[in-house]
Amino acid sequence: MLFNLVYMSIGWSMAFHIWEGDNVWGGPGAGVLRNAEWLFSKTNFLGVVSFVGWEIYFSVIYNIAFAFFIINFYKKNPHVGTKENIFIYFNLAILNIYCFAMSKESYQVLFWFLLAWCINFSTTYKKKLIALMIGLVFTFTFSRKYYALIGLYFVVIQFYVTSFLSNIDTSSTRGRKKLIQSIFGLFVIFAIFHFFFMGFMESASQDQYEELVRVNTREGSYADSEITPIFKGNRVMLTLDYFVKIFRLAFPIELLIKAKPTYIITIVYQSLLLLFLYNAFKNRNKNSIEDMEEDNVDEVNSFIEDADYEENEENENEDERDSKNVAASETRDRIDTRTIALYTYLAFLLCSAMFEPDFGSWLRHQSVAFPIIIYIL
């Protein structure tokens, strides 16, 4: 961040433009930088002029905002377990390191708050979905244009899961193998889409195509954690590299080889996230408390009493106890919110695999999606 925000003058230049009054609303399609400078200038109620002043300003404002956001999450989900708590603390630390500063991330996180609000907009899945799509349109219009792919990927993921994965029984070995094969097939579909997308970009916008190629084939950059391409050359090779890159971002085990202590944060963070993604996917079709009440009220009461009894057992494992409490108290709204958040994150992962040059950038860009990610827990 010191290199990006200070030595390369990205953060310094933003602060200087605001101080000079050299900022105007860029409007739709103007990108992140110009609109971020305009917004920050309009919300500079304390008259901050220095880069360090902005650091303090953003740290205070955003930590307060996230404190209220997380407290509200805990109120709605009182049975959050130890792993979830650790993950939330990790996110707060990463956000304070990467995002709460004069940077584009401080602007982008506002749109992820918007998307989080959208999936909490209603208690029905359909209305949540409509609100999310409207939020995504607003996001890619005034933030990063390539976020439009998130909406497209979301639709494909939901259709594929509903059509091919909903009836798979993961309780059996055969079912789990079929699930893995189906997920692999999903990524193959997106790899094929990537091939044709690159072909479209090559003919429609040569400059943007060359930029995509440059980001995904560069080596020897200043970043120690750069994602060195495995396949280079024509579009077929770039597609293969994109396919592999999805797994490299999701499973950054190659960072273990570099043996740098700071990479442990990325590895632990991603490992916990993968666990939550798996649990969210596994529980996406489970019965809610409303469903159970419709089937048998007495069964629900018995289920809740059993969960409460388990909670009081002295030798019960804490995580297992929390899991049973959640299972006994989850509403349809909670399940739907988590499922939409899951599909949104997966779409974001697939989109990011097209552009991320190194694991440091991936961790920074992924951290701003925390307002959505927290609902996967």
Side-chain angles (χ1 to χ4, degrees), residues 47 50 96 98 130 195 232 242 261 274 300 321 366:
S50 68
N96 273 276
Y98 284 117
I130 293 173
F195 175 81
K232 294 184 295 183
Y242 167 76
L274 284 172
V300 173
R321 183 169 67 246
Q366 184 176 224

Side-chain angles (χ1 to χ4, degrees), residues 104-152:
K104 292 180 287 187
E105 282 70 34
S106 293
Y107 176 76
Q108 287 179 254
V109 75
L110 299 175
F111 291 93
W112 286 100
F113 270 121
L114 170 65
L115 297 179
W117 179 84
C118 288
I119 66 174
N120 283 283
F121 172 74
S122 174
T123 56
T124 66
Y125 190 91
K126 183 177 181 180
K127 289 182 179 179
K128 288 175 183 288
L129 186 58
I130 293 173
L132 176 67
M133 291 302 158
I134 294 174
L136 281 170
V137 170
F138 192 82
T139 298
F140 73 71
T141 300
F142 297 104
S143 181
R144 294 188 183 274
K145 288 182 285 187
Y146 66 79
Y147 273 13
L149 292 173
I150 296 178
L152 174 62

Side-chain angles (χ1 to χ4, degrees), residues 310-318 320-321 324:
E310 295 287 351
E311 183 179 6
N312 294 324
E313 286 290 319
E314 293 182 355
N315 297 324
E316 183 70 38
N317 179 272
E318 182 180 351
E320 292 179 353
R321 183 169 67 246
K324 291 180 179 179

Side-chain angles (χ1 to χ4, degrees), residues 238-309:
L238 291 174
T239 299
L240 287 174
D241 196 67
Y242 167 76
F243 180 76
V244 174
K245 197 174 180 181
I246 296 171
F247 294 95
R248 294 175 72 183
L249 292 179
F251 306 90
I253 55 176
E254 62 193 84
L255 292 178
L256 290 173
I257 302 175
K258 298 180 181 291
K260 195 172 181 179
T262 53
Y263 295 159
I264 296 176
I265 296 176
T266 302
I267 296 171
V268 173
Y269 176 93
Q270 206 65 36
S271 298
L272 288 171
L273 180 54
L274 284 172
L275 173 64
F276 301 138
L277 291 172
Y278 171 78
N279 289 334
F281 188 85
K282 181 178 66 175
N283 295 323
R284 73 194 184 283
N285 290 327
K286 77 181 214 179
N287 289 332
S288 65
I289 196 73
E290 295 94 338
D291 297 330
M292 297 171 67
E293 285 176 346
E294 290 179 1
D295 293 339
N296 192 323
V297 175
D298 293 334
E299 182 181 348
V300 173
N301 292 332
S302 175
F303 189 79
I304 295 176
E305 288 174 1
D306 290 342
D308 290 337
Y309 176 78

Side-chain angles (χ1 to χ4, degrees), residues 82-92 268-270 272-273 276 370 373-374 377:
T82 302
K83 293 186 181 69
E84 289 81 0
N85 285 323
I86 293 174
F87 183 75
I88 289 173
Y89 300 149
F90 259 112
N91 273 276
L92 284 175
V268 173
Y269 176 93
Q270 206 65 36
L272 288 171
L273 180 54
F276 301 138
F370 177 60
I373 293 175
I374 193 173
L377 308 187

Side-chain angles (χ1 to χ4, degrees), residues 67-80 329 374:
F68 280 107
F69 179 75
I70 293 171
I71 290 172
N72 184 62
F73 172 79
Y74 277 126
K75 287 180 178 179
K76 293 183 177 180
N77 305 275
H79 301 298
V80 171
S329 60
I374 193 173

